[in-house]
Amino acid sequence: MFPGSFDPFTAGHLNILKRALTMFDQVVVAVGINQDKPGFFTMEKRLDLIRQATRGMEGVSVIQYSNLTIDTCREMGIHHIVRGVRNMIDFETERSIADANRRLCPDIETIIIPTAQEFAHISSSAVRDILRHGGDYSSFIPEGVKL
């Protein structure tokens, strides 16, 4: 499972997903509700953007969920969580979450994938800021995706 709020799904997210598909035959992109982040895009729009970005990709499914990530993994029989990191701050955050998840459910392992250097500057927050100010966001999102 590749979980996140994906508000919106970026070129960096797509890079992580493609690299996860080299390790797993199937990857579920799971769009969760993050109580700490008010949504910019509706859930329906986020799901649509991911489907646009992954159209034609084999082994990818897209779902939404609202409970703990590990609970959704358990319900679906998933044993690996994929997370991308851009820098050491992201790494420390993801490591803490992975440690908590492992404590709650030792059968689920987190795989942390560093973002490819050409995508390290991209974040959903940056895309939202560019959108708010009418800037050109095209190089930050997957090719062919219409916001």
Side-chain angles (χ1 to χ4, degrees):
M1 176 182 287
F2 181 25
S5 55
F6 303 116
D7 190 24
F9 193 76
T10 68
H13 292 132
L14 184 61
N15 174 260
I16 296 297
L17 175 58
K18 286 179 177 178
R19 291 167 59 208
L21 284 166
T22 68
M23 294 180 252
F24 303 101
D25 293 333
Q26 300 283 320
V27 176
V28 176
V29 181
V31 184
I33 297 169
N34 184 333
Q35 303 300 333
D36 296 330
K37 296 181 186 177
F40 184 83
F41 288 100
T42 66
M43 178 61 72
E44 293 75 26
K45 182 66 173 177
R46 287 187 249 167
L47 294 167
D48 178 60
L49 293 173
I50 297 166
R51 288 183 182 116
Q52 286 180 50
T54 60
R55 188 172 292 126
M57 289 177 69
E58 300 224 4
V60 176
S61 57
V62 182
I63 65 164
Q64 78 178 68
Y65 73 106
S66 58
N67 56 346
L68 287 174
T69 300
I70 57 168
D71 289 340
T72 300
C73 287
R74 279 188 210 147
E75 290 167 10
M76 298 182 72
I78 294 171
H79 298 282
H80 296 90
I81 296 171
V82 171
R83 297 296 294 166
V85 296
R86 293 168 293 153
N87 53 44
M88 288 307 294
I89 295 167
D90 285 355
F91 176 79
E92 288 300 328
T93 299
E94 293 300 335
R95 188 181 70 160
S96 293
I97 294 168
D99 289 346
N101 284 342
R102 189 176 312 103
R103 197 168 207 33
L104 292 170
C105 187
D107 296 345
I108 298 174
E109 190 61 60
T110 299
I111 309 297
I112 296 176
I113 302 175
T115 303
Q117 188 61 41
E118 63 266 30
F119 302 107
H121 66 286
I122 299 174
S123 68
S124 293
S125 299
V127 174
R128 290 191 304 269
D129 198 41
I130 292 167
L131 282 166
R132 281 187 198 101
H133 294 92
D136 179 8
Y137 56 81
S138 60
S139 65
F140 291 73
I141 62 169
E143 190 174 318
V145 170
K146 306 285 187 242
L147 296 183

